[in-house]
Amino acid sequence: MFHARILFLAFILLLVPLAGRASDHADPMNLDPKTQEPNITGLFFYPEGDNMIVVFNVRRSLTAAPPYNFEPYEYAVHFDFHSKLSFDNAEDRARYGGTIVNPEGIADDAIITIHLNNDATLKDKNIIGLKNPENVRLYTGVRDDPFIFPRFFNVNVVTMVMSIPKSSFPAGQQTWLLWGTSKDAKTGDQIDHVGRSNRTQLGRFDILNTVHPSKHVALIDEKAESRKKLQDFLLACLPPIAQLNQLSGLLIRHYDRVPDVMIYTSQFAPGFPNGRRLTDDVALLTCNQGDCPLQENAFIDTEQWPRATVNDKPFLNEFPYLAEPWPARPQTPPPDCWPYLMKYVLIPGLIVLAVIVGLGIWLSRRCCRRHEPV
């Protein structure tokens, strides 16, 4: 039993570099409240009358009052109007909203770039590729987290809500690809990425967070080959570890070779995976298509039954749509690993070391007595 635990611990430690940055709420997996500002928590896109609504959220599990630390970062929503989509593949349509005919050809046709002040108000914005950018309505600030998930109830996010007139898009536009990014404002290095909800939050897609969508498929193919080789080795030599590796969710699946972008078309009713509405229960909807960690964690995180399928606060019927924020309270500190290391690693290790040293001394003395001259 002891050896099995050691093997399991070693396996988990091996997975940390792979899953440690596994968009959305738990991505990148960095719990330090001092570095949460660039972490993206969600992207929504749906029609509202003569406008298209974009909701782009960052800074998960926020409870503290300002000031925050937004000035070092840049946020952007990217649009691709030219990529051809097909809706003939039922599996792709159910899982992603459609099929992108040429994933390598994805490129930015329009970008809305935003910088925030440290109180989450708007510092400046830059809109490229949209007609009459002055007509784009923008709200930034602290609001209730709209994610339908128990762990993120009773907490806030910082949101960027945009109401974009349909007339600002190319005439006759029926299909959109979009994604969101956060970057270092000085270096331009990309920190986080969001496309289709609950995609890069899955551990096997942590690799996509800093990469442009046009390169996603090639990167997924590369990782699929290396991870299959590892799984084949584990199946042949360490079957129990192979089972753990499969359960970890890091293995690439046949339907994964798709860039992480959000697809929306006006040809079908809005709602995930055709864009995303605030009321969409993406934990359930993605589980229906094979990706269930969110659904399972929703049951782990709460004793509530049945599982909540609506937000903890009702949404507003008018702009900016997200509910008012929860009152500020001290930010919960991240879990402290040190007590667990002491209890389960260092102290047992010292005990084992003391036993080994003591046994060695006893054996050495016993051996010496046998060889003493009579």
Side-chain angles (χ1 to χ4, degrees), residues 25 32-41 57-64 68-70 75 145 156-158 331:
H25 281 67
D32 186 350
K34 297 179 181 178
T35 56
Q36 289 295 299
E37 281 79 359
N39 291 356
I40 300 170
T41 70
N57 296 333
V58 298
R59 184 53 179 88
R60 66 170 175 261
S61 300
L62 179 63
T63 61
Y68 309 117
N69 187 36
F70 284 108
Y75 307 93
D145 189 337
N156 299 318
V157 293
V158 169
Q331 195 71 43

Side-chain angles (χ1 to χ4, degrees), residues 140-213:
T140 71
V142 178
R143 307 295 286 193
D144 165 64
D145 189 337
F147 190 26
I148 303 170
F149 196 79
R151 185 186 305 173
F152 301 103
F153 287 171
N154 199 31
V155 296
N156 299 318
V157 293
V158 169
T159 189
M160 291 158 271
V161 183
M162 290 152 260
S163 179
I164 307 173
K166 293 178 180 178
S167 59
S168 292
F169 295 105
Q173 189 69 36
Q174 287 189 305
T175 60
W176 286 259
L177 302 183
L178 67 154
W179 63 98
T181 60
S182 62
K183 296 182 179 181
D184 185 305
K186 290 184 178 180
T187 67
D189 293 337
Q190 185 166 312
I191 299 170
D192 202 3
H193 168 98
V194 62
R196 195 213 71 174
S197 303
N198 191 23
R199 185 86 191 278
T200 52
Q201 188 167 352
L202 300 168
R204 65 188 187 275
F205 295 123
D206 67 306
I207 56 175
L208 305 182
N209 274 323
T210 60
V211 180
H212 190 273

Side-chain angles (χ1 to χ4, degrees), residues 90-336:
E91 183 178 7
D92 281 356
R93 184 178 166 190
R95 185 170 284 115
Y96 301 113
T99 304
I100 302 170
V101 176
N102 179 27
E104 292 75 18
I106 294 174
D108 302 86
D109 293 316
I111 306 176
I112 300 176
T113 303
I114 297 170
H115 297 97
L116 300 175
N117 296 309
N118 284 338
D119 62 355
T121 58
L122 178 66
K123 182 178 181 180
D124 61 64
K125 69 179 186 294
N126 186 34
I127 301 177
I128 299 174
L130 295 179
K131 293 180 288 185
N132 302 316
E134 68 279 1
N135 293 334
V136 175
R137 188 178 182 185
L138 174 61
Y139 168 90
T140 71
V142 178
R143 307 295 286 193
D144 165 64
D145 189 337
F147 190 26
I148 303 170
F149 196 79
R151 185 186 305 173
F152 301 103
F153 287 171
N154 199 31
V155 296
N156 299 318
V157 293
V158 169
T159 189
M160 291 158 271
V161 183
M162 290 152 260
S163 179
I164 307 173
K166 293 178 180 178
S167 59
S168 292
F169 295 105
Q173 189 69 36
Q174 287 189 305
T175 60
W176 286 259
L177 302 183
L178 67 154
W179 63 98
T181 60
S182 62
K183 296 182 179 181
D184 185 305
K186 290 184 178 180
T187 67
D189 293 337
Q190 185 166 312
I191 299 170
D192 202 3
H193 168 98
V194 62
R196 195 213 71 174
S197 303
N198 191 23
R199 185 86 191 278
T200 52
Q201 188 167 352
L202 300 168
R204 65 188 187 275
F205 295 123
D206 67 306
I207 56 175
L208 305 182
N209 274 323
T210 60
V211 180
H212 190 273
S214 62
K215 301 178 180 179
H216 282 183
V217 174
L219 187 55
I220 292 170
D221 284 338
E222 176 188 331
K223 294 300 180 181
E225 183 178 356
S226 61
R227 293 179 187 180
K228 183 180 184 304
K229 289 179 179 178
L230 173 61
Q231 181 67 357
D232 290 344
F233 163 76
L234 294 175
L235 284 169
C237 303
L238 297 167
I241 305 300
Q243 293 178 6
L244 289 173
N245 190 39
Q246 184 163 332
L247 291 173
S248 72
L250 295 177
L251 297 178
I252 302 299
R253 306 170 187 185
H254 77 275
Y255 52 79
D256 285 347
R257 292 169 171 84
V258 175
D260 184 30
V261 295
M262 181 177 288
I263 291 175
Y264 176 77
T265 175
S266 59
Q267 301 173 53
F268 305 120
F272 186 88
N274 185 33
R276 181 185 177 186
R277 299 168 301 182
L278 292 170
T279 54
D280 288 338
D281 182 8
V282 294
L284 174 63
L285 294 170
T286 53
C287 184
N288 289 342
Q289 303 303 324
D291 291 321
C292 293
L294 266 184
Q295 176 82 335
E296 294 171 359
N297 286 337
F299 286 98
I300 293 171
D301 283 348
T302 180
E303 297 180 0
Q304 179 187 11
W305 188 90
R307 182 184 72 85
T309 58
V310 296
N311 192 42
D312 54 339
K313 277 190 173 186
F315 298 116
L316 306 181
N317 293 322
E318 56 188 21
F319 190 87
Y321 306 107
L322 275 66
E324 294 288 339
W326 295 92
R329 63 183 188 275
Q331 195 71 43
T332 303
D336 186 0

